[in-house]
Amino acid sequence: MTMTKNNFRVFIYTLLILFAGSCKISDKPVVDATETDVAVVDDLVLKDSVPAQQPPVFYQPKDYKESRIQKNDIIHTKLDVSFDWAKQHLLGIATLEVKPYFYPQNSLLLDAKGFDIHEVVLLNNGTNTNLEYEYDNLKLDIALDKEYTRNEKFTIQIKYTAKPNEMEVGGSAAITSDKGLYFINPLGEELNKPRQIWTQGETESSSKWFPTIDAPNQRCTQEMYITVDEKLTTLSNGVLVYSKLNGDGTKTDYWKMELPHAPYLFMMAIGEFAIVKDKWGDIDVDYYVEPAYEKYARSIFGNTPEMMTFFSELLNYPYPWPKYAQVVVRDYVSGAMENTSASIFMEQLQVTDQELIDTHWDYIIAHELFHQWFGNLVTTESWSNLPLNESFANYSEYLWNEYKYGKDEADYHALEEAQQYLKEAESKQVDLIRFYYNDKEDMFDSHSYSKGGRILHMLRKYVGDDAFFKSLEHYLKKNEFSSVEVHNLRLAFEEITGEDLNWFFNQWFLAAGHPILDVSHQYLDGKVILEVSQKQDTSKFPVYSLPLYVDIYVDGRKERFAVKVDKPYQVLEFQVGAKPSLVVFDAEHQLLAEINHEKDLEELAFQYNNSTAFLARNEALQTLSENIYASNNNTIVAKALDDPFWGLRQLAVNAFENYEGDNLQVVEQKLISMALQDKKSVVRADAIGTLSSIDSTRHADIYKKGMEDPSLVVIGASLYAYGKTNEKDKDQVFGKFEKVNNVNVIVPIANYYLESQQFDKADWFIARMEHLKGADLYYMLQYLGQLALAAPPEVQTKTADVFHDYAINNDLYYVRLAAFQGLVLLEDVAGVEQMIQKVMSREKNPQLLQYYQNMTQ
Ligand SMILES: [Zn+2]
C-alpha cells in the first residue's frame, strides 16, 4: 500500500498540522480498538501473584501483538454479491470451504463486521443443515455439527447484508474511516462525479464486506459473482470468466482467482470505466480509468509491461498472477493498494499528456507492482512484520529508477526517502519489526517504508548485487504462497551467502534508531588519520557494525579502502603518498545515518568537481550554495547550472534566488537561456522564479515566452512572475488562462486576483472550483476566503453560500474543513453564524467536529 509516499498526502498533512494545531487529524483509516486490544491483567501483578503450585499461567506482555492463532483454515471463498445503492448495502452469499488448521475443531470463528446475518448453513452433498451461531456485530461464532479433524473439509454458507456505513466510527485519531466498502455518489446526485463502488481491505477491513478470517496469515482461492447494472464495469482479482446479462437490466460478472492469497488483498471496483488493454506476454495488462482519461491511460500506466519484465528478470521469478489490472477510483482513502492482480489508485493519477510533462507516476506504479511478489505472493504473517511487504515495495522505486532513469535519479529518490525517515525519527524511533504498538495502522509509517527501503539497499551493498537478487529469488521460491516473518528473510540470505547475518538483521530490522557519526580526518606523516565516533545513545540504540568504503584523493588520483566501523570510537589509518585533497567517508553513500564530517569549502569544491555520484555532488553543492557569497563559490554554483543531472541544476538555479553578488549579468543570461531551453520543466520554471526574485520588474518578454511553454508548471511560474512586473496588460494576460484546469496555473491567477483585490473575480473562483477536487479545491477555498474577507457585502454573501455548500456536502474532510474555515472568516456577515451552526450540527466526523468546536469557542 502506498500511504506516506505521495506528495499530495504530505501536503495535506502539512496543511492540517498548520491549521489544526494540536488537533490530531490524520488520513489513516480508523481501526477497531476492540479487535487488537488484548485484555490482560497487568502482567507484573499476575506474574508475581501466581503461587508456585498452580498450573503455569501463560501470559504475554500487555501490548505484544501476536500473529493470529490459526484454528481453522479457509481454503476457498466464493462470494455472490449485489448492491442496494440507496442504502449503501451489499447483499451477499458467502460460501466458505474450511478445514481445521491442525487441532480438531467443533466451531468456526469468523470476522464479520457490521452485518445482518440472515442464515448460516452447512452444505453437505445437497443437504443444508442450519447451524447455531452467535454474532456480536464483529465476530461470527459458528457451532459446527460435529468435531472435524484436519483431514476433513466442511463448507459453510452465510447469507448476509453488509452495512459498512452503519458501523460506529472507532476511537482512533484518524479521520477517514476504514469502512472496507465504499459507495461513491451512490444516488448520482453529485455533478461531475461518477457513481462507483470500491473496496479497501488492508489492514482488516475486508471483513466489512465478506465474512472471513481477516488476518494476513490466512489465504485462500476465490470466486466472485458480482451482479450490477449492465452499464457498469466490474473488476476483481483473477480473471473474468464470463459476463452474463440477466435480462432485467443487470448482469453478473464471474471473476475467478485460482491461486491462494490473503483476505486483505481481495477487491472489487465497480463503475463506468474505460478499459485500455495492454499485454505482458500472454498476460492481460489492463488500465481502468474514467472515460475522459481513456486517451491518456497508456501515457500514465504504459511502463507497466516493461516493469513486469524488469522485476520478473531481476527476481528470476515471473509475475505470479493470471492478469494485472490497475484501476483509478474517486475519493480513495490512501495513495494506492496492491490488491492481488488488481491494484487500486487514487484519482490524482488521472492526468493529461500535458500534465505528464511535469510529473509521472512510475514510483507508485512500481510500488504496487512489486507488492505482487512481496506482500501478495509472500505475505507478512502479522502487521508486526509489515516491513516485509512495504520495505520491498519502497525499494522497488529505487530499483526501477536506477534501471529506467539512471543512478542519479535513483539516488535523488533515495535521498528523499532517507530524509523522510530522519524527519520522522525526530519524534519517533521504534524497532522496524515491532511486536509492540498501539494500533496496527501505526505500522504504516516512514520506518516500514523509507527506512526499510534504505536498509535493503545497505544489505544489497554489503552482500553484492549477485547475492542480493539470488537471495530474493530464494526467499520468494521458498516461501511462495505462504506467510513469513523477518527470520525467513534472514535465513534466505544466509543460505545463499553462507554467512551468519544476525548482526545485520539485529541492528537494522530488530532495533530502533540509526547511526549518528562524528567523523574527522587529518594528515600526519604520510598517513590519513580518520576518527569516527558513534554518537547515538547506545543505552537505547545499537553500537553499529558498518562495513563501508573510504575514498582518498591524492594528487588527482582516487584510492578506495574497505573498512569496518564497529566501535563507539575508532581511529582508522591510511597510508597515502601526500596530503589528500579530499577524504570521502562512506564513499558509496550507502549508510542510513547522520554523518557529521566537516569539510572546508575548498574540499567541497573539489568534491563537486571530481565526484561522479549524485549524492557526493549534491552534498558539496548544498553547502557551496548556502555560502554562495564566500570566496569564488558563485562560479562553482554557476558551473552546476550545466550539471548533467536536473536535480543539481535546479539546486543551483535556486541558489541564485535574490542574488546580488559577482557575475550577476552572466548568471542572469544563463538563467534566461535555462528558462527557455532547459530539458526539465521544473528547472525552466525555477529559472523563471529566480529571475523574478533578482529583479521582479524586468524580463516580462521572457515570462510571456514561458506562457507558451508546453509545461503547465512553466506557464504557472511565468504567470506568477508576470504578475509581479509593472506591465499594463496583466488583466488581459491572466484572463487568457482563466479556463485552464490545473492547479499550477490556477493558483498564480488566484494569487494575482487576490493581490489586486479584484472582487468581481469571486465568480471565477466559484466556477473554477466546480472543476477541482481534493487538494486543488482546498487551495481555492483558502484563496476565496481571503478575497471575500475585504469584498463588498454581496460578494461575501455569495461566497458564504458556497462555503456552506462545500462544508456540508463534500466527501473529503479537509475540503469541508477549508470551507468551514472560510465561513469562520466571514462570521460577521449576516446569516453566517446560522450557517456555522448548521454545518456543525451536520458534521459526523468526531475529530473534525471537535476541531470546529475549539475554533468557534
Ligand atoms: Zn505498499
Side-chain angles (χ1 to χ4, degrees), residues 470-481:
K470 262 269 170 279
S471 298
L472 294 189
E473 176 190 346
H474 181 53
Y475 168 77
L476 289 172
K477 288 181 176 165
K478 198 171 174 183
N479 299 295
E480 58 185 6
F481 305 107

Side-chain angles (χ1 to χ4, degrees), residues 8 328-329 334 345-351 361 773-775 814:
F8 162 71
V328 179
V329 300
S334 181
F345 295 86
M346 61 180 173
E347 66 203 79
Q348 281 74 12
L349 268 81
Q350 284 186 155
V351 288
W361 291 105
K773 52 204 175 199
Y814 53 85

Side-chain angles (χ1 to χ4, degrees), residues 1-2 338 367-368 371 390 393 449:
M1 180 167 209
T2 304
E338 69 273 18
H367 181 112
E368 307 314 325
H371 269 310
E390 295 303 344
Y449 288 75

Side-chain angles (χ1 to χ4, degrees), residues 187-448:
L187 302 177
E189 288 170 336
E190 286 179 74
L191 284 177
N192 304 317
K193 191 178 220 178
R195 293 169 76 214
Q196 292 179 347
I197 295 173
W198 46 263
T199 59
Q200 167 55 37
E202 197 173 27
T203 45
E204 295 176 10
S205 299
S206 284
S207 49
K208 293 197 173 161
W209 60 281
F210 63 94
T212 189
I213 298 172
D214 205 351
N217 60 356
Q218 182 67 229
R219 60 188 60 237
C220 62
T221 52
Q222 165 199 359
E223 288 169 283
M224 297 275 296
Y225 295 83
I226 306 173
T227 300
V228 290
D229 189 312
E230 60 187 32
K231 290 196 291 288
L232 297 175
T233 299
T234 73
L235 173 64
S236 186
N237 315 89
V239 294
L240 180 64
V241 180
Y242 63 72
S243 181
K244 182 186 82 185
L245 295 178
N246 297 321
D248 60 355
T250 69
K251 66 169 180 178
T252 300
D253 286 354
Y254 172 42
W255 292 87
K256 190 172 187 186
M257 170 62 112
E258 291 180 309
L259 298 168
H261 65 140
Y264 79 88
L265 298 164
F266 282 38
M267 73 83 74
M268 288 186 296
I270 295 160
E272 286 179 48
F273 298 111
I275 307 175
V276 175
K277 297 202 154 287
D278 217 332
K279 274 279 187 192
W280 182 69
D282 294 339
I283 289 182
D284 285 334
V285 177
D286 296 333
Y287 316 131
Y288 290 63
V289 294
E290 288 172 34
Y293 289 88
E294 182 173 7
K295 55 181 176 288
Y296 308 119
R298 206 174 285 275
S299 308
I300 300 163
F301 290 107
N303 281 336
T304 307
E306 188 181 345
M307 278 183 202
M308 293 169 84
T309 301
F310 171 62
F311 291 146
S312 296
E313 288 177 358
L314 199 60
L315 300 167
N316 197 27
Y317 194 119
Y319 173 78
W321 310 103
K323 67 123 197 291
Y324 190 52
Q326 297 172 95
V327 58
V328 179
V329 300
R330 287 291 184 105
D331 298 347
Y332 191 51
V333 287
S334 181
M337 177 67 206
E338 69 273 18
N339 310 294
T340 310
S341 78
S343 294
I344 289 191
F345 295 86
M346 61 180 173
E347 66 203 79
Q348 281 74 12
L349 268 81
Q350 284 186 155
V351 288
T352 64
D353 284 352
Q354 188 181 17
E355 288 167 316
L356 282 166
I357 293 170
D358 300 315
T359 185
H360 63 74
W361 291 105
D362 274 16
Y363 84 86
I364 199 167
I365 293 167
H367 181 112
E368 307 314 325
L369 177 60
F370 212 56
H371 269 310
Q372 304 297 324
W373 288 266
F374 295 91
N376 301 5
L377 176 68
V378 175
T379 311
T380 177
E381 68 165 20
S382 67
W383 304 117
S384 298
N385 282 282
L386 181 70
L388 293 177
N389 293 5
E390 295 303 344
S391 305
F392 282 99
N394 179 277
Y395 193 50
S396 75
E397 301 164 24
Y398 185 94
L399 294 170
W400 172 253
N401 269 323
E402 185 183 29
Y403 158 81
K404 182 72 177 173
Y405 304 107
K407 187 144 189 342
D408 281 355
E409 194 77 44
D411 285 341
Y412 182 82
H413 185 73
L415 182 64
E416 289 180 330
E417 293 298 324
Q419 285 166 346
Q420 192 156 333
Y421 159 72
L422 290 169
K423 181 87 199 124
E424 183 173 271
E426 289 171 14
S427 58
K428 176 180 187 180
Q429 292 193 27
V430 291
D431 297 352
L432 190 70
I433 304 292
R434 68 204 99 124
F435 297 94
Y436 298 85
Y437 53 76
N438 291 323
D439 184 324
K440 53 192 182 301
E441 307 307 318
D442 296 348
M443 290 300 300
F444 292 81
D445 60 3
S446 292
H447 282 64
S448 293

Side-chain angles (χ1 to χ4, degrees), residues 407-408 411-412 415 551 553 558 560 582-590 599 603-624 643 648 651:
K407 187 144 189 342
D408 281 355
D411 285 341
Y412 182 82
L415 182 64
D551 280 353
Y553 291 78
K558 178 177 85 178
R560 171 158 292 192
L582 180 67
V583 175
V584 183
F585 179 80
D586 184 26
E588 283 286 307
H589 307 277
Q590 66 199 57
K599 293 173 202 165
E603 287 171 308
L604 288 169
F606 184 92
Q607 180 169 325
Y608 177 75
N609 286 325
N610 292 280
S611 300
T612 50
F614 156 76
L615 290 164
R617 287 184 350 264
N618 182 63
E619 178 191 74
L621 196 56
Q622 288 281 359
T623 308
L624 294 169
D643 195 282
L648 294 178
L651 202 170

